[in-house]
Protein backbone atom coordinates (compact mmCIF):
# COMPACT_ATOMS: atom_id res chain seq x y z
CA UNK A 1 0.00 0.00 0.00
CA UNK A 2 1.28 3.50 -0.94
CA UNK A 3 1.18 6.46 1.44
CA UNK A 4 -0.71 8.52 -1.18
CA UNK A 5 -3.82 6.60 -2.22
CA UNK A 6 -4.47 8.83 -5.27
CA UNK A 7 -0.95 8.71 -6.55
CA UNK A 8 1.24 11.24 -8.22
CA UNK A 9 -1.53 13.46 -9.66
CA UNK A 10 -2.86 14.28 -6.23
CA UNK A 11 0.61 15.27 -4.99
CA UNK A 12 1.07 17.61 -7.96
CA UNK A 13 -2.30 19.30 -7.40
CA UNK A 14 -1.66 19.68 -3.68
CA UNK A 15 1.81 21.12 -4.27
CA UNK A 16 0.44 23.61 -6.82
CA UNK A 17 -2.30 24.69 -4.42
CA UNK A 18 0.12 25.25 -1.54
CA UNK A 19 2.47 27.18 -3.86
CA UNK A 20 -0.38 29.41 -5.05
CA UNK A 21 -1.43 30.07 -1.45
CA UNK A 22 2.13 30.99 -0.39
CA UNK A 23 2.52 33.34 -3.38
CA UNK A 24 -0.86 35.03 -2.67
CA UNK A 25 -0.03 35.62 0.98
CA UNK A 26 3.41 36.96 0.02
CA UNK A 27 1.86 39.38 -2.49
CA UNK A 28 -0.62 40.65 0.11
CA UNK A 29 2.19 41.24 2.61
CA UNK A 30 4.28 43.14 0.04
CA UNK A 31 1.31 45.32 -0.93
CA UNK A 32 0.48 46.04 2.71
CA UNK A 33 4.09 47.13 3.35
CA UNK A 34 4.03 49.43 0.28
CA UNK A 35 0.71 50.93 1.38
CA UNK A 36 2.08 51.64 4.85
CA UNK A 37 5.12 53.37 3.30
CA UNK A 38 2.89 55.45 0.99
CA UNK A 39 0.68 56.51 3.91
CA UNK A 40 3.71 57.56 5.93
CA UNK A 41 5.11 59.54 2.99
CA UNK A 42 1.75 61.31 2.52
CA UNK A 43 1.55 62.08 6.24
CA UNK A 44 5.08 63.54 6.18
CA UNK A 45 4.32 65.62 3.08
CA UNK A 46 1.14 66.97 4.68
CA UNK A 47 3.05 67.87 7.87
CA UNK A 48 5.69 69.71 5.78
CA UNK A 49 2.98 71.65 3.92
CA UNK A 50 1.24 72.70 7.15
CA UNK A 51 4.56 73.70 8.74
CA UNK A 52 5.54 75.73 5.66
CA UNK A 53 2.19 77.53 5.72
CA UNK A 54 2.55 78.24 9.44
CA UNK A 55 -0.84 76.68 10.15
CA UNK A 56 -1.87 73.92 12.49
CA UNK A 57 -5.42 73.42 11.25
CA UNK A 58 -7.03 73.07 7.83
CA UNK A 59 -8.17 76.20 6.05
CA UNK A 60 -11.75 76.89 7.27
CA UNK A 61 -12.74 78.11 3.81
CA UNK A 62 -12.12 74.62 2.49
CA UNK A 63 -14.41 73.08 5.11
CA UNK A 64 -17.24 75.57 5.55
CA UNK A 65 -19.91 76.35 2.99
CA UNK A 66 -19.70 79.65 1.19
CA UNK A 67 -21.48 82.35 3.21
CA UNK A 68 -23.27 85.27 1.58
CA UNK A 69 -23.56 88.95 2.41
CA UNK A 70 -26.92 90.57 3.03
CA UNK A 71 -27.06 93.99 1.39
CA UNK A 72 -30.32 95.24 2.85
CA UNK A 73 -32.03 98.13 1.12
CA UNK A 74 -35.57 99.45 1.22
CA UNK A 75 -37.28 100.23 -2.09
CA UNK A 76 -40.93 101.26 -2.45
CA UNK A 77 -41.65 100.25 1.15
CA UNK A 78 -40.20 96.72 0.71
CA UNK A 79 -36.93 95.29 2.00
CA UNK A 80 -34.51 93.54 -0.35
CA UNK A 81 -31.19 91.85 0.43
CA UNK A 82 -29.69 91.97 -3.05
CA UNK A 83 -30.11 88.33 -4.08
CA UNK A 84 -33.68 88.11 -5.39
CA UNK A 85 -36.60 90.47 -5.92
CA UNK A 86 -39.25 87.75 -5.88
CA UNK A 87 -42.63 88.15 -4.25
CA UNK A 88 -44.09 84.87 -5.52
CA UNK A 89 -41.39 82.16 -5.61
CA UNK A 90 -41.87 79.30 -3.18
CA UNK A 91 -38.81 78.15 -1.22
CA UNK A 92 -39.09 74.98 0.83
CA UNK A 93 -36.89 72.48 2.63
CA UNK A 94 -34.11 71.23 0.38
CA UNK A 95 -34.06 74.21 -1.99
CA UNK A 96 -30.83 76.11 -2.64
CA UNK A 97 -29.86 79.31 -4.40
CA UNK A 98 -30.43 83.07 -4.47
CA UNK A 99 -34.10 82.89 -3.42
CA UNK A 100 -33.10 81.01 -0.28
CA UNK A 101 -30.28 83.49 0.41
CA UNK A 102 -32.81 86.34 0.12
CA UNK A 103 -35.19 84.60 2.53
CA UNK A 104 -32.38 83.91 5.02
CA UNK A 105 -31.28 87.57 4.95
CA UNK A 106 -34.82 88.84 5.50
CA UNK A 107 -35.45 86.29 8.27
CA UNK A 108 -32.29 87.45 10.02
CA UNK A 109 -33.43 91.09 9.65
CA UNK A 110 -36.80 90.16 11.19
CA UNK A 111 -35.13 88.57 14.21
CA UNK A 112 -35.78 84.93 13.27
CA UNK A 113 -32.22 83.76 12.74
CA UNK A 114 -31.87 80.95 10.16
CA UNK A 115 -28.25 80.28 11.13
CA UNK A 116 -25.61 80.97 8.49
CA UNK A 117 -26.73 82.67 5.30
CA UNK A 118 -25.50 79.83 3.09
CA UNK A 119 -28.29 79.53 0.50
CA UNK A 120 -29.36 76.10 1.75
CA UNK A 121 -32.93 75.70 3.00
CA UNK A 122 -32.17 73.25 5.78
CA UNK A 123 -33.58 72.55 9.23
CA UNK A 124 -32.45 75.87 10.78
CA UNK A 125 -34.02 77.91 7.98
CA UNK A 126 -37.23 75.89 8.19
CA UNK A 127 -37.40 76.46 11.95
CA UNK A 128 -36.80 80.21 11.48
CA UNK A 129 -39.55 80.39 8.82
CA UNK A 130 -42.02 78.59 11.11
CA UNK A 131 -41.11 80.85 14.03
CA UNK A 132 -41.59 83.96 11.87
CA UNK A 133 -44.88 82.70 10.42
CA UNK A 134 -46.23 81.92 13.88
CA UNK A 135 -45.16 85.29 15.27
CA UNK A 136 -46.72 87.17 12.33
CA UNK A 137 -50.01 85.23 12.41
CA UNK A 138 -49.43 83.50 9.07
CA UNK A 139 -50.20 79.89 8.18
CA UNK A 140 -47.31 77.93 9.69
CA UNK A 141 -46.11 75.60 6.93
CA UNK A 142 -42.34 76.17 7.02
CA UNK A 143 -42.27 77.31 3.37
CA UNK A 144 -41.60 80.80 2.08
CA UNK A 145 -44.48 81.56 -0.29
CA UNK A 146 -46.23 84.79 -1.36
CA UNK A 147 -47.74 85.57 2.07
CA UNK A 148 -44.45 84.99 3.88
CA UNK A 149 -42.54 87.04 1.28
CA UNK A 150 -44.97 89.93 1.73
CA UNK A 151 -44.53 89.79 5.52
CA UNK A 152 -40.72 89.52 5.28
CA UNK A 153 -40.43 92.35 2.78
CA UNK A 154 -42.61 94.73 4.83
CA UNK A 155 -41.65 93.61 8.36
CA UNK A 156 -41.24 96.58 10.68
CA UNK A 157 -42.30 99.09 8.01
CA UNK A 158 -44.80 101.02 10.15
Amino acid sequence: MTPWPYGRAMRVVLTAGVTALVLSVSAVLVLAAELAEAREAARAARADTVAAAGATAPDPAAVLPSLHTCRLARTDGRWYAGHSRTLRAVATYGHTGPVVIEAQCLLRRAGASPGDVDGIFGPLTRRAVRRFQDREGLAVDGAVGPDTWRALRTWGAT
Side-chain angles (χ1 to χ4, degrees), residues 105-125:
C105 288
L106 295 175
L107 284 164
R108 178 173 280 176
R109 181 189 165 275
S113 178
D116 290 335
V117 178
D118 57 5
I120 302 169
F121 200 121
L124 295 177
T125 301

Side-chain angles (χ1 to χ4, degrees), residues 66-121:
S66 172
L67 303 181
H68 302 277
T69 303
C70 300
R71 295 177 300 278
L72 293 168
R74 191 168 177 197
T75 305
D76 296 327
R78 292 190 178 114
W79 287 97
Y80 297 93
H83 298 280
S84 172
R85 298 191 59 82
T86 188
L87 296 172
R88 299 222 167 270
V90 176
T92 61
Y93 190 81
H95 285 167
T96 60
V99 171
V100 177
I101 297 167
E102 184 80 8
Q104 289 174 329
C105 288
L106 295 175
L107 284 164
R108 178 173 280 176
R109 181 189 165 275
S113 178
D116 290 335
V117 178
D118 57 5
I120 302 169
F121 200 121

Side-chain angles (χ1 to χ4, degrees), residues 8 30-31 42 52 54 56 96 125 128 137 143 156:
R8 184 175 170 89
V30 167
L31 289 173
T56 57
T96 60
T125 301

